[in-house]
Amino acid sequence: MIKKLFSLLIIVAAMVSLTSCLSDTDVEVTYYDDTAITAFSLGTINCYNHTTKTDGTGDSIYVTKIAGSSYKFYIDQVNALIYNPDSLPVNCDAKHVICSFSTKNGGVVMLKLKDMWGRDSIGYYQSTDSIDLSTPIKVRVYSNRGNAYKEYVLKLNVHKQTGDEFAWGQATAEGADQLGARRFAQLGNSMWLFCQASDKTIGYQLVNGSWQKASELEGDDAYKSVATLGNSLYTYSNGYLYQSADGVNWSKMDTPNQIKQIIGGSGSRLYALTTSGLAYTTDGQTWVNDALDSNADALPESDINLVAMPSKVNANTNNLTLIGNRNGKTVVWTKVEENGEHADNNAWALLPEDSYNQKTLPCLEGLQVVVYDGGLLATGSSTSLFYKSLDHGLTWSSVDLYATPIIQANPTAAALFCDSNNILYFSKAQLSTVLSGRLARLGWKTEQTSFNK
């Protein structure tokens, strides 16, 4: 009997011990003093698009939805900024946005907003809440211990324009209505307009949005040869080369006898039309004759333009297009310019006439050509039309987007230029008006996407 009682006591003791273990609810919890927002994304966003009703009686609005998650947000932890470098399309509803936050160490996200009296207030954020991000807001993330927080500025970038909007603005070059043909040039961050006078060339500089007369050059033909190489402007007039480091003061240089006209630069070289063909210089002093794959008699003889597009596949390489008029026809030459170590000096190639090509550039009097928006853009003095080529001058299509507001009873020589900020400039002889404009998306700011200590 005693043995049985002893065994029962042991069993009861074991059960009590087991029950005690099972009821032990102590769990170790770790609290952190540090936290941060580590990721941010958007949900689905409504875009309200305006269109004309099918009967033409008015406007109508239709809604499209875009996946906000496809727009990546960058977090600058040093400056406490959260933003999307790729802006959302115009007309997106930024007032009602669903967001998602990820935090370090279980941090708690709270929004710093204004109450009905305009005072700062703090409120918890829930993933189902809609936030007004039409203006930047402040976001706080609190550590799970609750004794520290970090505050960020959250900015949602939304385009204010559609990417293909373009409009010309106007400025005045006083006295230029008494001057003839002209040519633009850029030296560093400075824009210049050189105009033909009766026996000289007048230079205007763009200063604070106004064109101001700033220099005079010998010879009324100096304007047509103005081009940039390195930190200097160059021109050719009355048998002499001239160089200027500021666009105001010009000095004569030793001039090779064969040069007839400077036709433009590529950034690495300066090119000239010579008595026997083409030549180039890399330093403004030593000139090298360039090779041609066809007879020099096929080079353009008027309205000569040289434009350069950096290669998308090869470093230190430019795709050059030489285009102008000869005998009532448009003439196009191309060249691959290599400037790296062990570079080849490739010959200029003439684009032959092709009866199957139905999209050639018509012969435009006063032809002007620039590189713009990934292609070549051309116009002439006797038309308001612009033409674009995406294959270095082989085929062309008319575009209405850049039509100028200038109308003249008697067409005069024109000048067209694109600067390093993708701003187009346009001016015509016997006019003081100088137009400028930029395709909206070419002026959009590129946000920083990488951060270093």
Side-chain angles (χ1 to χ4, degrees):
M1 183 70 181
I2 295 175
K3 290 183 178 179
K4 291 182 180 179
L5 182 60
F6 182 74
S7 298
L8 180 62
L9 290 173
I10 293 176
I11 293 172
V12 172
M15 292 179 63
V16 171
S17 176
L18 180 62
T19 303
S20 176
C21 291
L22 291 174
S23 64
D24 185 1
T25 58
D26 291 342
V27 177
E28 184 177 354
V29 178
T30 303
Y31 292 94
Y32 295 92
D33 294 318
D34 65 321
T35 189
I37 294 176
T38 57
F40 175 81
S41 62
L42 302 176
T44 302
I45 299 176
N46 292 330
C47 283
Y48 298 93
N49 304 284
H50 296 260
T51 186
T52 303
K53 292 182 179 179
T54 55
D55 59 6
T57 58
D59 292 336
S60 62
I61 298 176
Y62 65 95
V63 180
T64 58
K65 296 182 180 295
I66 64 171
S69 58
S70 63
Y71 289 83
K72 186 175 182 180
F73 277 75
Y74 286 86
I75 302 177
D76 179 353
Q77 299 288 1
V78 175
N79 296 303
L81 299 173
I82 305 173
Y83 63 89
N84 51 315
D86 185 11
S87 298
L88 271 65
V90 67
N91 297 326
C92 279
D93 184 5
K95 289 182 174 293
H96 306 90
V97 181
I98 300 296
C99 308
S100 176
F101 294 88
S102 296
T103 63
K104 178 183 178 182
N105 295 331
V108 179
V109 174
M110 304 188 74
L111 305 180
K112 188 175 181 180
L113 304 172
K114 297 289 185 182
D115 63 16
M116 60 184 299
W117 295 281
R119 298 173 303 189
D120 288 338
S121 63
I122 300 294
Y124 284 100
Y125 173 70
Q126 297 182 8
S127 59
T128 56
D129 291 342
S130 173
I131 306 178
D132 181 357
L133 294 181
S134 57
T135 57
I137 66 170
K138 292 182 179 180
V139 178
R140 287 184 180 181
V141 55
Y142 283 83
S143 65
N144 60 13
R145 189 183 292 276
N147 63 342
Y149 70 86
K150 183 171 183 177
E151 186 172 278
Y152 297 81
V153 173
L154 171 58
K155 179 183 179 183
L156 177 62
N157 291 318
V158 180
H159 287 305
K160 305 302 181 184
Q161 302 171 294
T162 62
D164 290 326
E165 290 184 22
F166 184 92
W168 290 105
Q170 297 188 8
T172 300
E174 188 173 349
D177 55 337
Q178 304 300 314
L179 304 176
R182 49 202 62 187
R183 184 182 179 96
F184 290 99
Q186 183 174 6
L187 180 61
N189 294 320
S190 180
M191 276 298 304
W192 288 82
L193 175 63
F194 294 94
C195 304
Q196 182 184 41
S198 58
D199 59 351
K200 56 190 173 184
T201 293
I202 305 296
Y204 287 85
Q205 185 178 15
L206 183 60
V207 180
N208 297 325
S210 176
W211 293 92
Q212 300 179 9
K213 183 177 177 181
S215 67
E216 292 186 3
L217 294 77
E218 294 182 18
D220 63 352
D221 63 342
Y223 77 93
K224 69 171 62 175
S225 284
V226 176
T228 306
L229 177 63
N231 297 319
S232 295
L233 289 173
Y234 293 83
T235 192
Y236 177 82
S237 179
N238 293 334
Y240 291 98
L241 276 175
Y242 292 84
Q243 179 187 29
S244 175
D246 58 9
V248 177
N249 302 294
W250 295 80
S251 57
K252 285 184 180 180
M253 305 177 63
D254 293 335
T255 308
N257 294 330
Q258 74 268 23
I259 287 183
K260 296 169 59 177
Q261 178 187 339
I262 294 176
I263 57 176
S266 66
S268 300
R269 303 181 185 184
L270 194 65
Y271 288 85
L273 184 67
T274 69
T275 55
S276 59
L278 297 173
Y280 71 87
T281 179
T282 58
D283 58 10
Q285 299 181 14
T286 303
W287 290 82
V288 178
N289 290 327
D290 230 350
L292 309 176
D293 76 348
S294 299
N295 196 301
D297 290 341
L299 289 169
E301 59 183 356
S302 63
D303 304 321
I304 302 172
N305 299 264
L306 174 69
V307 293
M309 294 183 64
S311 172
K312 295 181 180 179
V313 295
N314 296 314
N316 303 314
T317 302
N318 294 308
N319 295 307
L320 307 184
T321 302
L322 173 62
I323 182 169
N325 295 327
R326 188 181 185 96
N327 298 326
K329 294 182 178 181
T330 304
V331 179
V332 181
W333 292 70
T334 63
K335 172 185 170 74
V336 177
E337 177 196 85
E338 300 180 30
N339 297 291
E341 189 177 0
H342 309 302
D344 292 328
N345 187 25
N346 301 302
W348 285 91
L350 173 66
L351 295 186
E353 293 186 44
D354 183 354
S355 59
Y356 292 98
N357 186 358
Q358 302 298 310
K359 301 186 72 175
T360 58
L361 182 67
C363 185
L364 301 175
E365 182 182 353
L367 175 64
Q368 295 288 298
V369 183
V370 297
V371 174
Y372 201 66
D373 190 27
L376 305 185
L377 192 65
T379 190
S381 59
S382 58
T383 179
S384 62
L385 287 177
F386 280 74
Y387 296 84
K388 188 169 185 178
S389 173
L390 296 175
D391 50 19
H392 306 291
L394 179 62
T395 61
W396 298 80
S397 300
S398 62
V399 288
D400 298 326
L401 188 62
Y402 306 100
T404 69
I406 294 178
I407 299 176
Q408 289 176 289
N410 300 311
T412 59
L416 181 68
F417 189 82
C418 174
D419 73 3
S420 57
N421 293 314
N422 295 312
I423 298 176
L424 284 177
Y425 294 88
F426 183 83
S427 182
K428 300 194 76 172
Q430 278 75 56
L431 287 179
S432 59
T433 299
V434 181
L435 303 180
S436 62
R438 180 168 57 191
L439 195 61
R441 55 184 161 79
L442 298 184
W444 289 344
K445 179 181 178 182
T446 301
E447 298 279 3
Q448 184 179 0
T449 58
S450 62
F451 307 95
N452 298 310
K453 290 184 179 180

